[in-house]
Amino acid sequence: MSWSVEVLDRDSGRFLNSPESCAPIRLSWDDFSGPSKALIRCPCDHLGMEDWRMRLGQDVRVYDSQGRLAWWGCLDQVRQVQGELQRTVGMDEVANRVAVRFNDLGGAEPGQISQTDWVEDLESQAIYGIKEIVFQVGFTLPETAEWIASARLKERAFPEVKLAPHAPGSTETPGACYLECQGWMQTLDWRIWPGLRAVTGHSPTQQGVQAVGNALTNRKVAQSFQVSEALQFKRLAVRARKQGNPTDALRFSLEADLNGRPSGLELGAQSLSAGELSGESYRWVEVSLPAHVSLAVNTSYWLILERSSGVDSSNHYLLGLDENLGYWGGSLLLYDQISSTWKSRTTDADLLFHLTGELDQIEQMRRVVSCGGQFLKQLEFEPGQSRTLPPLGDEGQDCLQVFHALLKQGNAALEPLCAGIDPNRNLRVWKKPKAGSATLRLCPDGSLQTPFGQPLKAPWQAVGQWLYPGNARPLYLSSLSLEPVTGRITLNDR
């Protein structure tokens, strides 16, 4: 029995064709994707380039001579040599959801970076899935950027068959179709990561000052706010300095809201000693709460500043303000200890402040997979305790780049992580095994053996494991390529 190839509908699993005469030329796997790339030759007796064009993005499965599923992924490109020409059709330049990022010449601040709304082709998306591109065009007007987005979408919504001269000396069989396939992990790069906004706050040029703790009428200063992302917050900062020589501390706290006022329910607090503040100039000063505080979107909270001891008119603290009222997310109140009430400032203002959020590593991975994993089923995470990390923002990266960056962080114990897509299209993450776990053997001729000295009949199963190369130190196998026709194996060629 020879190797065989199936092409299935990626959604229903329906057979699109099962070309028994197709032969895998080269297959590869690695410890980030599982199956990563495949090159398959098909005689194309009954399928033309138009047929293959409609099969781009569909499920491809390769079985070995024993009927074992060896490789799985999707069809990315097809090429065919006919005479002196080569015809190619693929997903590389397809974009059926398009936006344009530009420097806005028509805004209130000329040159400010803006992005158009997404424009999309639903017909293309129904056939191939969603594939996004953000084009960068430099300085232009919003209406021009919108026109460019529509024009790019029209040009690239569907894959087109392209003609090019055939490279002389090629060993490819004339008339045959060569299918270039990629693992499902690579489809994460079809979607652009929208980013998570880690910082909530207001930090324009300072215009105003508010004393805290110099009188009973301003015993406390409170600024309300809302966060744009449901994150865990620990780092709080304000722009401040000290007046005179206070010997106590500036106390930061977070409280929930109750009817437009601080509720008195403290979510977290930390103090900053007076010695940490300058007496000469305003600076950004920051504290870290003892534990993360989870804040929800569309909910008001309060950042409260107060001194840790009694009122002192000569020795107290000064907070930087924005009396231009540029912050729309909340308001500033002062606590009057005489009347035990929160009151508005005589000249209304906003506090200069910011909070920095973090997010559990597993949750960040889930959000990335939820955004970009349109063909994936679920994320299965097996690395033990994860860690809390600053969320990755909108930097023009695709979801594959962001997921890879998160994976490279390791787990809470700083242990390396591996990943792969299983045949059911679940994305699995696990700890990289230790060298002491090596059981497979690497022979001098490059072949692999089981612990019992038998040939490893499914060598791709060794990826992500340690090998014993005779008397040498164990070798970690991060990637493997196989040429099924010749049986040639290449190790760690990534």
Side-chain angles (χ1 to χ4, degrees):
M1 182 178 177
S2 61
W3 288 65
S4 61
V5 179
E6 292 177 346
V7 182
L8 311 173
D9 183 284
R10 67 170 175 264
D11 297 319
S12 66
R14 176 176 57 88
F15 280 90
L16 297 178
N17 56 290
S18 180
E20 295 292 338
S21 55
C22 286
I25 304 301
R26 185 179 177 86
L27 306 172
S28 61
W29 302 259
D30 61 49
D31 64 354
F32 174 66
S33 307
S36 56
K37 294 182 180 180
L39 177 62
I40 300 167
R41 182 181 63 233
C42 292
C44 294
D45 294 333
H46 58 285
L47 291 176
M49 290 296 283
E50 181 61 25
D51 299 309
W52 288 116
R53 186 176 79 93
M54 298 302 294
R55 285 164 170 75
L56 292 173
Q58 300 298 339
D59 195 348
V60 176
R61 300 188 169 219
V62 180
Y63 297 85
D64 71 2
S65 58
Q66 303 301 313
R68 289 180 294 240
L69 179 60
W71 194 96
W72 51 93
C74 63
L75 180 58
D76 184 59
Q77 179 174 282
V78 180
R79 65 176 188 270
Q80 182 183 40
V81 175
Q82 288 188 327
E84 298 299 318
L85 295 176
Q86 175 176 278
R87 298 195 296 170
T88 305
V89 63
M91 293 296 298
D92 184 51
E93 295 188 8
V94 171
N96 51 33
R97 194 166 189 259
V98 171
V100 168
R101 189 167 292 185
F102 62 103
N103 298 92
D104 190 356
L105 291 176
E109 299 181 18
Q112 185 175 11
I113 296 176
S114 298
Q115 182 172 308
T116 66
D117 291 335
W118 290 96
V119 291
E120 46 198 330
D121 191 301
L122 299 181
E123 181 184 356
S124 173
Q125 292 176 8
I127 298 171
Y128 302 106
I130 300 173
K131 197 162 186 291
E132 298 173 340
I133 291 184
V134 176
F135 292 96
Q136 309 280 346
V137 298
F139 290 87
T140 191
L141 296 171
E143 53 268 30
T144 303
E146 292 170 359
W147 179 86
I148 292 172
S150 298
R152 294 290 186 270
L153 177 67
K154 185 176 181 180
E155 293 171 358
R156 301 180 64 164
F158 291 89
E160 299 291 339
V161 179
K162 295 184 177 180
L163 289 175
H166 173 49
S170 172
T171 59
E172 294 183 354
T173 304
C177 288
Y178 287 82
L179 316 184
E180 296 182 11
C181 308
Q182 63 180 7
W184 289 111
M185 180 72 82
Q186 301 303 313
T187 62
L188 285 175
D189 72 6
W190 288 20
R191 303 296 301 272
I192 303 298
W193 175 239
L196 293 173
R197 185 177 177 183
V199 178
T200 293
H202 186 54
S203 54
T205 302
Q206 182 175 332
Q207 296 286 340
V209 175
Q210 174 60 52
V212 56
N214 71 321
L216 293 175
T217 53
N218 53 24
R219 188 71 178 78
K220 302 178 184 179
V221 176
Q223 174 70 50
S224 64
F225 64 92
Q226 292 190 357
V227 298
S228 58
E229 305 284 353
L231 303 175
Q232 297 171 287
F233 291 84
K234 192 173 183 180
R235 295 161 55 194
L236 317 177
V238 296
R239 189 169 173 82
R241 75 172 182 88
K242 61 187 176 184
Q243 177 67 39
N245 188 30
T247 57
D248 59 351
L250 180 62
R251 189 174 186 272
F252 296 63
S253 63
L254 293 178
E255 289 190 13
D257 176 83
L258 180 63
N259 300 323
R261 297 286 187 272
S263 65
L265 177 60
E266 200 166 84
L267 305 176
Q270 186 61 278
S271 295
L272 183 72
S273 69
E276 299 294 324
L277 283 87
S278 169
E280 304 296 329
S281 60
Y282 288 88
R283 299 175 183 172
W284 283 100
V285 293
E286 182 180 84
V287 298
S288 181
L289 299 176
H292 286 93
V293 176
S294 296
L295 303 183
V297 298
N298 301 320
T299 303
S300 292
Y301 299 95
W302 292 87
L303 170 61
I304 299 176
L305 285 303
E306 59 185 306
R307 65 183 309 167
S308 60
S309 65
V311 170
D312 186 333
S313 60
S314 300
N315 304 289
H316 50 272
Y317 303 97
L318 301 175
L319 304 176
L321 300 182
D322 172 25
E323 293 183 345
N324 292 323
L325 296 175
Y327 183 61
W328 299 97
S331 58
L332 183 141
L333 296 177
L334 305 179
Y335 185 71
D336 184 344
Q337 189 169 328
I338 299 173
S339 61
S340 298
T341 57
W342 288 98
K343 297 181 178 180
S344 297
R345 189 172 183 266
T346 302
T347 301
D348 204 0
D350 295 310
L351 183 68
L352 302 185
F353 76 102
H354 60 75
L355 296 80
T356 303
E358 297 180 335
L359 190 62
D360 179 80
Q361 180 184 22
I362 297 177
E363 179 57 28
Q364 287 200 55
M365 287 184 174
R366 291 193 191 283
R367 294 194 188 188
V368 173
V369 173
S370 176
C371 173
Q374 59 186 314
F375 307 125
L376 306 182
K377 301 295 176 60
Q378 62 183 2
L379 174 66
E380 299 177 356
F381 200 85
E382 305 172 1
Q385 186 178 6
S386 65
R387 48 197 302 213
T388 303
L389 301 170
L392 295 176
D394 173 18
E395 300 173 353
Q397 298 184 92
D398 59 56
C399 290
L400 181 65
Q401 293 171 313
V402 174
F403 186 83
H404 188 262
L406 289 170
L407 193 78
K408 288 300 181 184
Q409 297 280 350
N411 63 12
L414 301 181
E415 296 169 311
L417 301 177
C418 303
I421 309 293
D422 69 18
N424 295 318
R425 277 188 256 155
N426 297 313
L427 197 165
R428 296 180 57 248
V429 178
W430 65 92
K431 289 188 297 185
K432 178 180 175 179
K434 298 184 182 299
S437 66
T439 57
L440 300 176
R441 300 178 183 178
L442 176 60
C443 300
D445 62 358
S447 62
L448 303 176
Q449 291 184 348
T450 69
F452 307 103
Q454 301 297 318
L456 185 63
K457 296 181 179 179
W460 54 89
Q461 295 175 354
V463 173
Q465 298 190 46
W466 290 86
L467 310 177
Y468 270 127
N471 296 324
R473 293 181 178 180
L475 171 71
Y476 180 69
L477 186 59
S478 62
S479 63
L480 179 146
S481 296
L482 170 66
E483 297 176 10
V485 176
T486 64
R488 181 186 176 189
I489 294 176
T490 306
L491 308 181
N492 290 343
D493 61 343
R494 184 176 58 180

